[in-house]
């Protein structure tokens, strides 16, 4: 009991120290100013934001980044406490007492762990929601926000239960090679989820329909034809009831691949700006970034599952008594599995974000060549930054661990370099 109490105090103390360090870095240590040589140019937010919006963008970005950096370590603390407190062992026993079949026991365990996690982290989610409302980013009423949270809970639970039931069945059948067989099964599962995402999962949250502005649709389809992209429709999604932010994206694979525009984007950008955004998204299709992303994800999954196997066995062997774990084969080891995979995913962020930023840069370059309208590119970046209250020049750690896109400063600078090349 003394050892567990000591662990609780040490883990909580380390988390508080980490959170304090991140707070100091984001709010007082990191330099997010624009270089003096760029002040007064199109990169400078003072040229397109009023003083109040500029102040809000800095403060809101710092708050949002702070939540990002503490949320994942808070999950680690949660999983550790579930293990050390013996709650995981009790949930396992509860499932075995309630159900005869192993897959039902596993499903019940995943449900109670997921529900506990949902309840514990709901106040933090609510706080983020209220802050987003106060800064005018979110426009979503509470009932709609709560509905989305409940939908997300059931979608996540369903996916997690399927994966965990299969993985723990493999661990029972092949304790040494479960990670390899699990990875092989993850290939068709990942592709299947990507295939159904646009037509099954996404519509649970929002309403999708063909672009209503037919004149704009003709322009976009003409751009798609120029890019040799076979498509008949661009999809619009009703997001104005939930946010003031702007976005457009490519989703799905195969016959279900889609280019999607938020209605907030349509109402805030002019046709030239939208065509630039669309050309950017089309590049993801042309260069098959979605498929490259799937391949990269599967490669990381293979390495991650192998490392998880080695790490779990080592922890159980050396710290099994502290975490109240006797074997990796028991479902009570799931919090340790989730803890390790979460750590590995967080550690992989700099790699995955770097690859994504390279792809996004290539998409910007492609869009500039396709539209040859640098002015529309600059104003679209400015409006995206203003609507989302995002920093033009975020801190280094934010770029490293969070940003999947280049900073707006870098993107506008890319446009300026393109203009110089055209002038030569």
């Amino acid at each position: 009991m003394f050892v567990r109490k000591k662990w609780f105090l040490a883990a909580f103390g380390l988390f508080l120290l980490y959170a304090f360090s991140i707070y100091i870095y984001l709010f007082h240590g990191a330099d997010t100013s624009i270089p003096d040589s760029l002040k007064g140019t199109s990169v400078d937010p003072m040229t397109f934001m009023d003083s109040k919006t500029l102040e809000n963008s800095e403060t809101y970005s710092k708050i949002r980044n702070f939540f990002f950096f503490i949320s994942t370590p808070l999950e680690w603390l949660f999983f550790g406490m579930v293990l050390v407190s013996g709650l995981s062992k009790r949930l396992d026993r509860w499932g075995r007492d309630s159900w005869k079949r192993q897959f039902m026991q596993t499903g019940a365990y995943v449900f109670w762990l997921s529900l506990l996690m949902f309840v514990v982290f709901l106040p933090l989610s609510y706080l983020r929601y209220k802050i987003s409302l106060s800064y005018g980013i979110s426009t979503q009423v509470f009932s709609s926000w709560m509905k989305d949270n409940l939908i997300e809970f059931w979608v996540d639970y369903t996916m997690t239960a399927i994966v965990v039931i299969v993985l723990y069945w493999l661990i029972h059948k092949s304790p040494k090679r479960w990670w390899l067989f699990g990875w092989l099964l993850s290939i068709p599962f990942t592709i299947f989820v990507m295939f159904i995402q646009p037509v099954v999962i996404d519509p649970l949250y929002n309403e999708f329909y063909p672009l209503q502005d037919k004149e704009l649709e003709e322009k976009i389809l003409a751009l798609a034809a120029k890019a040799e992209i076979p498509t008949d429709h661009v999809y619009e999604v009703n997001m104005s009831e939930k946010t003031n932010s702007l976005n457009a994206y490519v989703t799905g694979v195969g016959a279900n691949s889609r280019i999607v525009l938020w209605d907030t984007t349509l109402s805030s950008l002019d046709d030239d700006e939208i065509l630039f955004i669309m050309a950017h998204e089309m590049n993801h299709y042309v260069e098959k970034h979605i498929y490259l992303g799937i391949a990269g994800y599967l490669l990381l999954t293979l390495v991650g599952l192998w490392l998880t196997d080695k790490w779990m066995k080592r922890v159980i062997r050396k710290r099994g008594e502290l975490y109240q774990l006797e074997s990796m084969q028991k479902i009570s080891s799931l919090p340790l599995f989730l803890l390790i995979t979460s750590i590995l995913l967080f550690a992989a962020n700099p790699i995955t974000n770097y690859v994504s930023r390279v792809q996004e840069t290539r998409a910007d370059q492609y869009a500039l060549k396709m539209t040859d309208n640098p002015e529309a590119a600059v104003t679209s970046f400015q409006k995206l930054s203003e609507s989302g209250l995002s920093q033009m020049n975020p801190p280094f750690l934010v770029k490293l661990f969070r940003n999947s896109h280049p900073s707006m400063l870098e993107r506008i600078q890319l446009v300026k370099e393109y203009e110089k090349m055209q002038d030569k």
Side-chain angles (χ1 to χ4, degrees):
M1 180 61 71
F2 174 75
V3 174
R4 293 192 180 97
K5 185 178 180 180
K6 187 177 179 181
W7 182 95
F8 279 123
L9 292 173
F12 191 66
L14 284 173
F15 173 76
L16 291 178
L17 180 62
Y18 165 81
F20 179 72
S21 301
I22 288 294
Y23 171 81
I24 294 297
Y25 172 75
L26 292 175
F27 285 85
H28 301 286
D31 182 13
T32 60
S33 62
I34 301 297
D36 290 341
S37 60
L38 297 177
K39 288 181 178 178
T41 68
S42 55
V43 171
D44 188 349
M46 292 187 70
T47 64
F48 60 90
M49 291 187 194
D50 59 48
S51 58
K52 182 62 175 177
T53 304
L54 181 56
E55 180 184 352
N56 285 344
S57 70
E58 282 295 317
T59 306
Y60 179 70
S61 293
K62 290 173 181 177
I63 294 171
R64 185 175 56 177
N65 291 330
F66 178 73
F67 275 120
F68 168 80
F69 277 106
I70 67 165
S71 294
T72 302
L74 200 56
E75 288 182 6
W76 303 345
L77 186 63
F78 169 81
F79 291 133
M81 288 187 170
V82 169
L83 287 168
V84 175
S85 67
L87 179 59
S88 183
K89 198 170 184 178
R90 288 194 291 273
L91 289 176
D92 181 15
R93 189 183 305 116
W94 192 4
R96 284 187 278 109
D97 291 342
S98 303
W99 304 94
K100 291 183 179 180
R101 295 185 179 275
Q102 184 180 337
F103 79 93
M104 293 297 292
Q105 296 171 5
T106 303
Y109 179 96
V110 172
F111 173 78
W112 291 115
L113 182 65
S114 299
L115 183 61
L116 177 63
M117 194 171 181
F118 176 80
V119 171
V120 168
F121 285 91
L122 187 61
L124 184 62
S125 297
Y126 180 72
L127 180 59
R128 296 169 76 166
Y129 161 68
K130 291 294 289 184
I131 291 172
S132 183
L133 272 178
S134 68
Y135 279 90
I137 299 297
S138 176
T139 59
Q140 195 172 15
V141 297
F142 175 78
S143 58
S144 174
W145 175 81
M146 195 66 209
K147 177 185 174 184
D148 282 353
N149 274 271
L150 291 173
I151 291 172
E152 184 178 20
F153 168 80
W154 285 109
V155 170
D156 287 350
Y157 166 69
T158 302
M159 295 288 188
T160 304
I162 292 171
V163 170
V164 171
I165 287 170
V166 172
L167 280 181
Y168 273 79
W169 178 79
L170 289 172
I171 290 172
H172 275 276
K173 294 294 182 180
S174 180
K176 292 184 178 180
R177 293 288 181 268
W178 68 270
W179 56 270
L180 178 59
F181 298 132
W183 176 75
L184 290 172
L185 288 175
S186 75
I187 298 174
F189 181 76
T190 299
I191 295 172
F192 172 73
V193 170
M194 289 289 293
F195 184 76
I196 67 168
Q197 179 93 27
V199 294
V200 176
I201 299 176
D202 289 346
L204 294 173
Y205 298 93
N206 300 294
E207 182 183 357
F208 291 78
Y209 39 84
L211 186 61
Q212 294 180 328
D213 186 338
K214 295 305 174 185
E215 185 177 342
L216 176 60
E217 185 178 48
E218 286 300 317
K219 294 178 182 179
I220 294 173
L221 292 178
L223 196 64
K226 183 179 177 182
E228 299 182 354
I229 297 175
T231 183
D232 295 324
H233 294 292
V234 177
Y235 286 86
E236 182 178 343
V237 56
N238 179 16
M239 290 295 297
S240 55
E241 294 179 355
K242 296 182 179 182
T243 183
N244 285 318
S245 293
L246 314 181
N247 197 16
Y249 59 91
V250 176
T251 186
V253 294
N256 282 349
S257 59
R258 289 179 173 182
I259 297 175
V260 179
L261 273 164
W262 286 10
D263 62 342
T264 51
T265 304
L266 292 166
S267 63
S268 300
L269 304 185
D270 62 33
D271 284 7
D272 286 342
E273 292 164 342
I274 290 171
L275 288 174
F276 174 79
I277 297 292
M278 286 292 92
H280 171 103
E281 297 304 327
M282 288 174 188
N283 177 254
H284 293 310
Y285 179 93
V286 170
E287 296 197 355
K288 304 188 186 308
H289 289 166
I290 291 177
Y291 296 99
L292 290 173
I294 292 173
Y297 169 78
L298 290 173
L299 177 61
L300 286 175
T301 300
L302 175 62
V303 175
L305 287 174
W306 178 75
L307 287 174
T308 299
D309 174 67
K310 303 301 179 186
W311 199 347
M312 283 186 73
K313 288 174 179 174
R314 180 182 178 84
V315 169
I316 292 173
R317 186 170 63 252
K318 294 196 170 186
R319 296 285 186 271
E321 184 177 353
L322 172 63
Y323 295 116
Q324 304 193 46
L325 296 175
E326 302 167 5
S327 167
M328 184 178 170
Q329 294 172 308
K330 290 192 174 183
I331 190 60
S332 57
S333 68
L334 180 60
L336 179 60
F337 178 93
L338 296 174
L339 170 61
I340 291 172
T341 53
S342 180
I343 292 172
L344 293 175
L345 285 171
F346 189 80
N349 275 346
I351 299 171
T352 57
N353 286 337
Y354 172 78
V355 172
S356 177
R357 287 195 298 271
V358 170
Q359 292 178 340
E360 297 298 334
T361 298
R362 290 183 62 84
D364 284 344
Q365 292 168 335
Y366 179 88
L368 284 167
K369 292 176 182 177
M370 281 286 286
T371 62
D372 192 26
N373 194 339
E375 183 179 348
V378 170
T379 53
S380 65
F381 290 147
Q382 290 174 338
K383 289 179 181 179
L384 284 167
S385 181
E386 186 174 8
S387 68
L389 294 181
S390 56
Q391 292 169 314
M392 296 296 292
N393 188 28
F396 173 74
L397 288 182
V398 174
K399 294 179 184 178
L400 191 66
F401 282 93
R402 188 175 189 201
N403 284 8
S404 59
H405 288 63
S407 68
M408 287 303 179
L409 184 150
E410 293 166 329
R411 299 181 84 172
I412 294 178
Q413 283 295 90
L414 177 69
V415 177
K416 295 306 176 184
E417 290 173 10
Y418 171 83
E419 287 182 304
K420 289 178 183 178
M421 292 293 293
Q422 295 303 104
D423 292 338
K424 289 183 180 180

